[in-house]
């Protein structure tokens, strides 16, 4: 006979499972209602502002919502997370509504696409792959992604491809260096500045931004320009190797 602790744990697991099952049954109607609300907002009887939007006018709204979500996550505020995740989901639904209106795709296609991609890229969960470590999973993911895009217009022949161009400059620089080092491109392991510790680096970054502002320069634009120069140099080295 199971001990009291085991029985309590089993009962708790059953209750948790029941709650999840209930949530799953309630999920469909909520999504459908959201899609209907968005369609109404875009209708002739809807909201003037919503009717004026297109993919381009909305493109940076999603970025703003992501940053607000990050703030909520770092604050550990579940209420704010619910709100910001909802705002982010709205951006997805809005774009799907716009695409549906022009006969391109709809929300269902987007959802099905990500489901299929997740299953395809996790053969260690849904298939027979033996990848068990994080490094093995990442390597497998990259191999699958490369095979998926091979022969398409989205193929990435360069090891430096796939970095979003609208990333903040510092994040883009980090991505570029990481990809270059991973591909072992000449010059990628060069030490460009000597820094004693993280605190010193943080101060130097801030001081550089402050100095640029004092001079009337944009630190963001300056770094973007340098990234373009470095990336061009890396690509030339890659072609020669």
């Amino acid at each position: 006979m199971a001990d009291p602790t085991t029985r309590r744990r089993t009962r708790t697991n059953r209750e948790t499972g029941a709650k999840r099952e209930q949530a799953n049954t309630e999920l469909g109607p909520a999504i459908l209602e959201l899609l209907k609300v968005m369609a109404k907002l875009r209708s002739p009887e809807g909201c003037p502002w919503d009717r004026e939007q297109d993919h381009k006018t909305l493109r940076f709204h999603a970025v703003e919502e992501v940053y607000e979500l990050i703030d909520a996550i770092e604050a550990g505020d579940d209420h704010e997370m619910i709100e910001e995740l909802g705002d982010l989901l709205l951006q997805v639904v809005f774009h799907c509504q716009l695409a549906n209106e022009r006969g391109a795709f709809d929300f269902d296609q987007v959802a099905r696409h990500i489901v299929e991609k997740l299953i395809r890229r996790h053969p260690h969960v849904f298939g027979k792959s033996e990848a068990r470590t994080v490094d093995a999973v990442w390597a497998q993911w990259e191999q699958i992604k490369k095979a998926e895009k091979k022969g398409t217009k989205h193929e990435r022949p360069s090891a430096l491809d796939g970095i979003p161009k609208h990333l903040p400059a510092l994040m883009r620089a980090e991505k570029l260096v990481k990809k270059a080092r991973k591909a072992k491109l000449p010059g990628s392991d060069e030490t460009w500045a000597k820094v004693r510790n993280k605190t010193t680096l943080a101060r130097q970054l801030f001081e550089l931004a402050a100095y640029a502002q004092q001079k009337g320069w944009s630190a963001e634009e300056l770094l973007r320009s340098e990234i373009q120069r470095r990336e061009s140099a890396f690509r030339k080295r890659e072609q020669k190797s």
Side-chain angles (χ1 to χ4, degrees):
M1 177 178 292
D3 60 68
T5 301
T6 301
R7 287 199 298 271
R8 284 196 299 271
R9 187 182 299 116
T10 302
R11 184 170 60 253
T12 301
N13 290 341
R14 287 175 180 171
E15 291 172 353
T16 302
K19 289 179 181 178
R20 287 175 179 168
E21 185 65 28
Q22 181 181 4
N24 287 339
T25 60
E26 295 173 352
L27 180 61
I31 288 292
L32 291 176
E33 186 175 2
L34 176 57
L35 294 173
K36 288 179 181 178
V37 168
M38 189 69 253
K40 177 67 174 179
L41 291 173
R42 284 283 298 173
S43 72
E45 300 78 28
C47 172
W49 184 87
D50 289 284
R51 292 202 308 268
E52 288 184 356
Q53 305 312 306
D54 57 32
H55 293 297
K56 287 188 176 180
T57 63
L58 292 174
R59 67 193 188 280
F60 292 119
H61 287 269
V63 175
E64 182 179 350
E65 300 300 352
V66 168
Y67 283 124
E68 291 181 355
L69 173 60
I70 292 172
D71 286 345
I73 291 172
E74 292 187 347
D77 190 327
D78 288 340
H79 181 272
E80 284 298 304
M81 280 184 64
I82 291 173
E83 181 169 347
E84 300 307 338
L85 283 167
D87 289 344
L88 189 55
L89 177 58
L90 173 60
Q91 294 300 309
V92 175
V93 169
F94 209 145
H95 283 285
C96 289
Q97 175 63 32
L98 292 171
N100 190 31
E101 290 171 9
R102 58 189 177 85
F105 58 84
D106 59 17
F107 181 85
D108 189 66
Q109 286 175 274
V110 171
R112 287 181 183 277
H113 181 82
I114 188 59
V115 167
E116 292 170 359
K117 183 166 75 171
L118 286 172
I119 293 174
R120 188 171 59 249
R121 293 191 183 179
H122 289 81
H124 54 292
V125 177
F126 301 101
K128 298 180 179 180
S129 169
E130 295 299 323
R132 288 294 178 265
T133 67
V134 173
D135 288 342
V137 168
W138 272 114
Q140 175 182 258
W141 178 284
E142 289 298 323
Q143 290 174 355
I144 295 172
K145 182 167 64 175
K146 186 175 182 179
E148 289 172 354
K149 298 181 182 299
K150 187 175 179 60
T152 73
K153 65 178 181 179
H154 303 293
E155 184 173 1
R156 297 175 179 176
S158 170
L160 304 177
D161 291 341
I163 305 175
K165 65 180 181 180
H166 288 299
L167 275 179
L170 192 56
M171 291 178 65
R172 184 173 171 79
E174 291 176 338
K175 289 278 188 181
L176 176 64
V177 173
K178 182 178 180 179
K179 280 180 173 284
R181 286 177 174 168
K182 190 174 180 179
K184 299 181 180 179
L185 297 181
S188 60
D189 284 327
E190 175 185 354
T191 301
W192 293 299
K194 292 183 178 180
V195 181
R196 292 192 300 274
N197 52 52
K198 290 189 292 186
T199 301
T200 303
L201 176 59
R203 288 174 179 169
Q204 288 178 333
L205 289 171
F206 185 86
E207 289 167 2
L208 287 170
Y211 182 74
Q213 193 279 330
Q214 184 182 37
K215 288 291 187 179
W217 304 332
S218 167
E220 179 78 9
E221 292 304 318
L222 287 171
L223 182 53
R224 283 188 177 277
S225 178
E226 180 64 12
I227 289 169
Q228 291 177 356
R229 189 183 73 81
R230 297 277 187 174
E231 182 174 352
S232 177
F234 278 139
R235 288 182 181 275
K236 289 178 180 178
R237 295 168 188 168
E238 183 182 34
Q239 292 173 358
K240 293 179 180 179
S241 61

